[in-house]
Amino acid sequence: MTPTPMIELSHVSRLFDNAVAVDDISLQINSGELCVIVGTSGCGKSTTLRLLNKLISCSSGNIRIDGEDIAGLDAKLLRRRMGYAIQNTGLFPHWSVERNIGVVPTLLGWSPEKIKARVHELLELLSLPYAEFAHKFPSQLSGGQAQRVGVARALAGDPDILLMDEPFGALDPITRDSLQNELLRIQSQINKTIVFVTHDIDEALKLATRIVVMDKGRIVQHDTPANLLDRPVNEFVQSLLGQNERGLKRASLEPVKTHMQALSGDLPEHSVNVDDTLRQAMSLMYWHRTDILCVRDADNHAVGLLPMRALLDSPTA
Amino acid sequence: MRRLLAMLRNGWVPLMWLLLLLVAVFSMDQFEGFFRQIEPDARAVIYQRSSFAQLLGKHLLIVGAASLVSVIVGVAAGILATRRWGRDFLPLVSQVASIGQTFPPVAVLALAVPLLGFGSLPTIFALVLYGLLPVLRNTLAGLQDVSPTVIEAARGIGMSPLQSLFKVELPLASVVILAGIRTSVTVAIATAAIGSTIGASTLGDPVIAGLVNGNTAYVLQGAILIGLLAVLIDSLFECVQQWFAVRQGRAQ
Ligand SMILES: Nc1ncnc2c1ncn2[C@@H]1O[C@H](COP(=O)(O)OP(=O)(O)O)[C@@H](O)[C@H]1O
Ligand SMILES: [Mg+2]
């Protein structure tokens, strides 16, 4: 038995004044996936996302959420069941952090105690201590903190689905990187179905369980990050992946542990963490001018060896 | 606690003006000596035809009625013209409001008399026409200033259009809208005095009587009262605006 997909688009199109923004898209996203829609600006990513929560309507085709055709659902109620986080946060500037996060639970009619507990829980989840942040206003937050609050607000009603439209697009690279890691950590705890839009292929490769590549309103390829790198269907996908950088991008999807060899003889001088990626291992080898690294676990115990030759082997399970 | 103190501090200003106004209304007689110096030859130097308290009350009633209508109509029109389905009316609404403002108030009064007769009604009509623009203009500006991202977020998290309007858009526009109401009311307080020329009873009565009889003391008494009232109301608005800003985290 195949699981029913959480989100299912069939032959969905959307026109704006006779210009096609989304062109006959069919797509299935399973429960628990982190699906990233990637493509150049104006290719219809945001439009696709906004079709899912009925911020705009389909010109043709239909969308099913959890088996239900959304055409027959009340838009407000549908949206309260889906988290929505956008670039520049869209936080309400006249409300405190606490009230911003509590807005969907309030709309859902939760009791004040339950809302307060939920806000508490989410602020902790996003590494924003309640005592320090709950009563601040959005203008008193840094860009990264504001975006965390935006994500907390999207999660507040405990929705099954989270829609995110370039949520980290306006952040500096370091903050963006840490929020990406945070999103992966949170997703491993809460296991929502996430649809994430970005124009940044590296962000897509890092976050996605599967990637949807869009071009001119159509889906060009829908695949796992590894398959996308190994078998891009056409030149557009190739160029999106970057020609020369492809090897490094592929290496950053591969953990050291799938390539390491058993310990033997003396331990090499330089070490790599077992959970690091091959890309980081290659960088260390180049930096230390060595062709072999010692692999260590989180407790700093040596657990294996990584000679440069092993990088070329196909991974072991 | 700091907020409370700040508010008390701000509250002193209107309180002071209120005291001055009350002194002027109820103890104008005490200053007879001063007014006598201005008009040594006049038969009476303190305006007597009607008590200042009565004039103040009627003045406030006219201004209050006109401002109420201005605010309701102005804010409502501003909201309608910024809704998605009302956008087509936006240019029309702004133009009509601007035209209302270009008529001098005296001309509006003169035109209103044949329609509405003498008295308070044409005065209120003129004040409404005059006070509408600041309210409408600021409502439009305030609502259009709300960031589209914030409105998109309100919709995206599942607020109904009315919830978005009352919980997000109007509160965010409130400081600007309030500034428009402040202008409107302050102008109305000054302009209402002209209503005395067409038979409305206002604080303009002593001024007109003074001008007609050549009694500068009367003119001065009317002017002082109108001035004090205007400053009092203006400082009250200052307080309310401050309070709104504090509540929304824009000041500390
Ligand atoms: N509300 C709208 N009205 C008219 N055209 C729109 C609207 N929203 C998007 N479009 C057009 O649809 C196309 C896709 O837009 P969008 O989905 O926002 O692209 P992306 O998010 O991939 O950058 C663009 O050409 C854009 O101009
Ligand atoms: Mg977009």
Side-chain angles (χ1 to χ4, degrees):
Chain A
M1 195 187 99
T2 51
T4 42
M6 187 59 129
I7 301 173
E8 185 174 17
L9 292 81
S10 42
H11 301 288
V12 171
S13 298
R14 170 68 207 207
L15 310 174
F16 286 114
D17 310 321
N18 297 323
V20 190
V22 168
D23 190 2
D24 192 29
I25 278 186
S26 294
L27 174 66
Q28 299 193 347
I29 301 170
N30 292 325
S31 181
E33 268 198 85
L34 202 169
C35 173
V36 177
I37 303 178
V38 68
T40 47
S41 167
C43 71
K45 307 182 293 292
S46 298
T47 305
T48 306
L49 199 71
R50 293 153 56 88
L51 286 168
L52 296 180
N53 63 359
K54 288 180 87 170
L55 278 173
I56 47 184
S57 56
C58 306
S59 303
S60 64
N62 65 65
I63 299 177
R64 291 177 172 278
I65 303 280
D66 211 1
E68 264 184 302
D69 192 330
I70 63 168
L73 299 178
D74 180 85
K76 295 192 300 295
L77 300 181
L78 178 73
R79 290 176 200 144
R80 291 173 194 170
R81 281 169 44 197
M82 296 180 166
Y84 188 52
I86 52 182
Q87 195 173 351
N88 301 321
T89 74
L91 291 179
F92 303 126
H94 57 310
W95 285 358
S96 67
V97 165
E98 174 153 31
R99 194 151 174 219
N100 263 289
I101 296 177
V103 62
V104 177
T106 306
L107 291 173
L108 291 170
W110 293 13
S111 71
E113 302 81 56
K114 193 173 165 197
I115 296 174
K116 191 161 174 122
R118 181 70 179 152
V119 171
H120 233 285
E121 178 187 345
L122 283 167
L123 282 173
E124 298 304 325
L125 183 68
L126 283 143
S127 326
L128 299 169
Y130 180 90
E132 190 180 342
F133 288 98
H135 304 294
K136 289 198 166 166
F137 284 90
S139 60
Q140 299 168 312
L141 302 174
S142 72
Q145 289 163 350
Q147 200 51 260
R148 278 164 210 257
V149 175
V151 173
R153 182 176 68 180
L155 288 170
D158 203 15
D160 296 325
I161 296 172
L162 202 55
L163 308 178
M164 309 180 87
D165 194 347
E166 310 214 18
F168 311 145
L171 303 175
D172 64 87
I174 294 170
T175 312
R176 189 186 316 149
D177 194 60
S178 77
L179 262 96
Q180 289 166 352
N181 294 334
E182 206 122 330
L183 181 66
L184 287 173
R185 174 179 65 76
I186 291 170
Q187 170 66 350
S188 73
Q189 291 175 30
I190 59 177
N191 212 28
K192 306 279 182 195
T193 307
I194 302 180
V195 188
F196 187 108
V197 161
T198 180
H199 61 260
D200 177 355
I201 187 70
D202 290 308
E203 187 166 63
L205 290 169
K206 176 171 175 180
L207 296 176
T209 54
R210 285 201 295 169
I211 293 177
V212 174
V213 180
M214 284 186 71
D215 184 30
K216 302 191 188 82
R218 295 179 153 270
I219 294 182
V220 185
Q221 189 167 3
H222 181 197
D223 228 325
T224 61
N227 281 342
L228 202 68
L229 283 161
D230 293 344
R231 288 179 289 278
V233 293
N234 63 17
E235 278 183 21
F236 174 77
V237 182
Q238 269 178 30
S239 70
L240 192 71
L241 291 166
Q243 303 293 354
N244 300 331
E245 298 282 317
R246 248 169 86 188
L248 286 175
K249 285 175 178 160
R250 187 69 181 81
S252 62
L253 295 177
E254 215 75 66
V256 161
K257 62 168 141 314
T258 59
H259 284 73
M260 70 182 182
Q261 299 176 350
L263 284 172
S264 66
D266 296 335
L267 289 183
E269 185 186 351
H270 300 288
S271 306
V272 64
N273 195 292
V274 71
D275 291 319
D276 283 347
T277 67
L278 289 191
R279 181 185 180 132
Q280 286 162 314
M282 281 152 71
S283 169
L284 286 168
M285 286 179 190
Y286 179 79
W287 185 251
H288 295 299
R289 310 284 151 170
T290 177
D291 61 1
I292 187 159
L293 293 171
C294 176
V295 182
R296 291 178 185 274
D297 64 13
D299 301 325
N300 213 26
H301 296 309
V303 290
L305 295 177
L306 186 70
M308 193 177 267
R309 272 209 49 82
L311 298 177
L312 308 181
D313 299 339
S314 40
T316 58
Chain B
M1 193 62 210
R2 277 228 315 278
R3 286 183 190 187
L4 203 71
L5 279 177
M7 247 157 78
L8 272 179
R9 204 176 55 223
N10 293 332
W12 278 115
V13 180
L15 209 60
M16 187 191 76
W17 291 119
L18 178 65
L19 280 175
L20 278 178
L21 180 67
L22 291 178
V23 167
V25 166
F26 291 107
S27 356
M28 200 64 96
D29 313 351
Q30 307 295 314
F31 303 99
E32 190 163 358
F34 166 72
F35 288 115
R36 178 58 71 190
Q37 285 191 332
I38 297 174
E39 286 289 340
D41 307 324
R43 203 150 38 87
V45 291
I46 303 291
Y47 184 78
Q48 302 290 3
R49 210 167 310 161
S50 166
S51 81
F52 288 123
Q54 250 174 354
L55 291 179
L56 175 67
K58 287 177 178 169
H59 196 103
L60 279 176
L61 223 57
I62 288 174
V63 170
S67 295
L68 198 68
V69 177
S70 292
V71 169
I72 290 172
V73 174
V75 172
I79 289 172
L80 294 186
T82 49
R83 298 307 92 188
R84 267 197 296 170
W85 39 266
R87 284 278 147 87
D88 298 343
F89 298 105
L90 189 57
L92 183 74
V93 168
S94 345
Q95 276 165 17
V96 167
S98 314
I99 291 170
Q101 183 90 350
T102 54
F103 284 114
V106 177
V108 175
L109 283 180
L111 288 172
V113 169
L115 286 174
L116 301 168
F118 284 90
S120 303
L121 211 58
T123 308
I124 292 176
F125 175 77
L127 291 187
V128 167
L129 216 60
Y130 222 55
L132 207 55
L133 177 77
V135 177
L136 178 58
R137 192 185 44 203
N138 280 37
T139 305
L140 288 176
L143 287 174
Q144 285 175 318
D145 243 21
V146 178
S147 134
T149 318
V150 168
I151 295 176
E152 154 120 1
R155 246 157 55 84
I157 62 170
M159 284 192 188
S160 67
L162 276 183
Q163 285 171 328
S164 168
L165 176 66
F166 283 106
K167 289 175 178 240
V168 178
E169 297 170 58
L170 281 178
L172 284 175
S174 62
V175 171
V176 178
I177 295 177
L178 215 61
I181 296 177
R182 179 179 177 174
T183 308
S184 170
V185 173
T186 318
V187 168
I189 288 172
T191 314
I194 302 176
S196 294
T197 56
I198 55 161
S201 172
T202 74
L203 288 174
D205 284 8
V207 179
I208 304 295
L211 288 174
V212 170
N213 304 328
N215 188 329
T216 312
Y218 288 0
V219 176
L220 207 57
Q221 286 151 28
I224 287 171
L225 288 171
I226 295 167
L228 284 175
L229 181 62
V231 183
L232 165 65
I233 300 291
D234 195 59
S235 68
L236 272 177
F237 270 106
E238 175 71 36
C239 279
V240 176
Q241 275 177 309
Q242 201 75 35
W243 181 68
F244 264 69
V246 168
R247 231 181 39 151
Q248 301 188 353
R250 294 185 196 175
Q252 39 273 268

